[in-house]
Amino acid sequence: MRMEDIAKIAQVSKSAVSLALSGKPGIGSETRERILRIAREMGYNAKPRSSSPTSDKASKSILFLVITNLGIVLEEYYQQPFFRELIHYVEERCRSKGYSVMFSSVDMDQFEHNVRAIAEEHRSSGAILLGTNLSKEQIATVADRLPQLVVLDTCYDTLPIHFVEINNAMGAYQAGTHLCELGHRDIGYVASNVRIHNFEERKAGFLAALRERGLEIAPSRTFAVAPTLLSSQESMRRQLEACIRSEGRLPTALFCECDYIAISAMKTLAELGYRVPEDISVIGFDNISESVIVTPELTTIHVEKEKMARLAVDLLTDPAEHGSDARMKTRVDTRFVERLSTASPASVLRTV
């Protein structure tokens, strides 16, 4: 019995199993109890880790810090597909370089108190902060207490901190270009109702692609939904129905700010009797593992999560290579992935 087996049975990530077995914070009490129960039932025995007498535990570990219940990062963040994959690659890179990963999460309600406590314990350790949902001021607060810091999945140019982020504008530009090249002119935009740096950058990139081709998105073609639900959403249904009543029809294509939203939109459209892509094309962003499970498979923007994780870890483990004083802002390009959820609009197909 391995940790991977426990994770599969419990339907959680390997990192969640690690947190439960080690008694560390970062997971809910119900999840922890379920994991421990499964481990006991399966007779799992954790193997003691060998250590070198000359190694310094603090110097061979990296802290992965998450601020939860703020924006799109939930308490059980490790079960959210994008973050689950990102954490997996961080763990892999650390392991390959002889480092362990210590996970710690801070509820936003106790932000300053808990960050201070974590800093007192881990100040000498390198730290990766998941910055997806954080403001400039919040990141600056963490950086003041954890000087060896790399922030992952956002960027603020005026902060003297290492950042590794997605080229969000490029990815959304690729999405807009794809829809225009298919012949779509009546395009809708499905935004997250929780606004973060990544989504604002994606919006700018998508609109830039449309403007270059003389197109705009009408206000009636703009929708806003929760960004963390993979199921259909009643609010999305109401907005689409209102669009049909006022405009007589839906757009021929929808760009969604993340794959969560895209999958939710596809399910909502199906409930309304619309076929994807025959009646309406849908494109997402992130290329989470679930994007190939839905029917049809989702056209999306691939985020190089492995590359981002590797860069973040290397900034902490190879400081001499990157300069001891200089801070770096690294933006990782995206890759367009065409699958089956997009096609030319019916009006174009009829004229061909």
Side-chain angles (χ1 to χ4, degrees):
M1 173 61 62
R2 302 171 302 164
M3 288 178 62
E4 291 88 342
D5 301 318
I6 297 173
K8 185 175 182 179
I9 295 170
Q11 295 185 324
V12 298
S13 67
K14 182 181 174 182
S15 60
V17 175
S18 177
L19 290 174
L21 296 177
S22 62
K24 294 177 182 177
I27 57 175
S29 58
E30 291 184 4
T31 301
R32 186 186 303 278
E33 290 174 6
R34 184 170 76 254
I35 292 170
L36 293 176
R37 175 178 54 77
I38 292 170
R40 286 194 302 270
E41 291 174 353
M42 295 299 179
Y44 174 80
N45 291 312
K47 295 180 181 179
R49 297 180 178 178
S50 60
S51 59
S52 168
T54 60
S55 66
D56 182 351
K57 182 180 178 181
S59 67
K60 297 297 288 183
S61 63
I62 288 176
L63 173 68
F64 191 94
L65 178 60
V66 182
I67 313 300
T68 62
N69 294 328
L70 175 68
I72 68 171
V73 182
L74 307 179
E75 182 178 354
E76 296 192 346
Y77 61 90
Y78 50 84
Q79 291 187 7
Q80 294 177 255
F82 180 87
F83 304 129
R84 182 181 66 225
E85 294 173 36
L86 199 60
I87 290 168
H88 167 72
Y89 290 124
V90 167
E91 287 185 304
E92 275 197 343
R93 187 60 172 175
C94 285
R95 191 179 304 115
S96 72
K97 307 193 81 172
Y99 283 74
S100 61
V101 183
M102 299 178 292
F103 292 89
S104 187
S105 63
V106 171
D107 191 289
M108 191 56 208
D109 291 339
Q110 301 174 317
F111 174 69
E112 292 196 13
H113 171 76
N114 284 355
V115 167
R116 188 183 308 114
I118 289 169
E120 290 175 359
E121 183 178 355
H122 300 287
R123 188 173 181 82
S124 62
S125 302
I128 296 175
L129 172 66
L130 184 65
T132 311
N133 56 335
L134 301 181
S135 68
K136 176 182 175 181
E137 292 72 23
Q138 290 161 342
I139 291 172
T141 297
V142 176
D144 283 343
R145 298 190 176 278
L146 292 168
Q148 299 181 60
L149 182 70
V150 176
V151 181
L152 191 56
D153 197 33
T154 195
C155 184
Y156 293 97
D157 288 335
T158 56
L159 289 178
I161 301 169
H162 289 305
F163 285 93
V164 178
E165 70 161 343
I166 306 162
N167 191 340
N168 291 285
M170 175 184 178
Y173 182 91
Q174 291 169 323
T177 299
H178 171 67
L179 293 179
C180 291
E181 289 179 347
L182 286 174
H184 292 281
R185 296 295 179 266
D186 184 7
I187 300 173
Y189 192 96
V190 190
S192 163
N193 59 13
V194 177
R195 304 311 298 165
I196 59 174
H197 166 83
N198 288 350
F199 294 153
E200 296 299 341
E201 293 290 307
R202 292 173 193 182
K203 184 176 183 179
F206 188 78
L207 295 179
L210 268 58
R211 280 195 300 270
E212 287 183 7
R213 295 158 176 82
L215 300 176
E216 293 183 355
I217 296 178
S220 62
R221 263 54 179 141
T222 302
F223 313 96
V225 297
T228 56
L229 296 176
L230 287 170
S231 59
S232 62
Q233 297 189 47
E234 180 60 31
S235 64
M236 179 84 183
R237 184 187 182 101
R238 290 196 300 269
Q239 292 175 72
L240 293 174
E241 289 175 333
C243 177
I244 295 169
R245 287 194 300 270
S246 63
E247 303 293 327
R249 66 185 188 281
L250 290 178
T252 63
L254 295 175
F255 170 68
C256 303
E257 286 186 329
C258 67
D259 285 350
Y260 261 98
I261 293 175
I263 293 170
S264 177
M266 288 168 62
K267 292 181 178 180
T268 306
L269 286 164
E271 291 178 357
L272 291 172
Y274 285 83
R275 299 167 301 163
V276 177
E278 293 86 352
D279 301 322
I280 184 169
S281 290
V282 176
I283 186 169
F285 199 118
D286 286 333
N287 197 25
I288 60 175
S289 57
E290 283 76 0
S291 63
V292 295
I293 297 174
V294 293
T295 303
E297 292 185 359
L298 181 65
T299 297
T300 186
I301 303 301
H302 177 72
V303 173
E304 298 287 351
K305 295 177 277 291
E306 183 175 6
K307 178 69 172 179
M308 292 172 63
R310 187 164 67 247
L311 287 167
V313 172
D314 289 356
L315 282 167
L316 293 172
T317 57
D318 305 321
E321 183 177 331
H322 302 286
S324 57
D325 297 323
R327 295 294 181 264
M328 300 179 65
K329 310 289 188 289
T330 306
R331 183 174 294 155
V332 180
D333 286 352
T334 56
R335 174 168 50 86
F336 172 70
V337 179
E338 184 174 7
R339 296 196 180 106
L340 301 177
S341 67
T342 53
S344 296
S347 59
V348 172
L349 293 173
R350 284 196 296 268
T351 62
V352 174

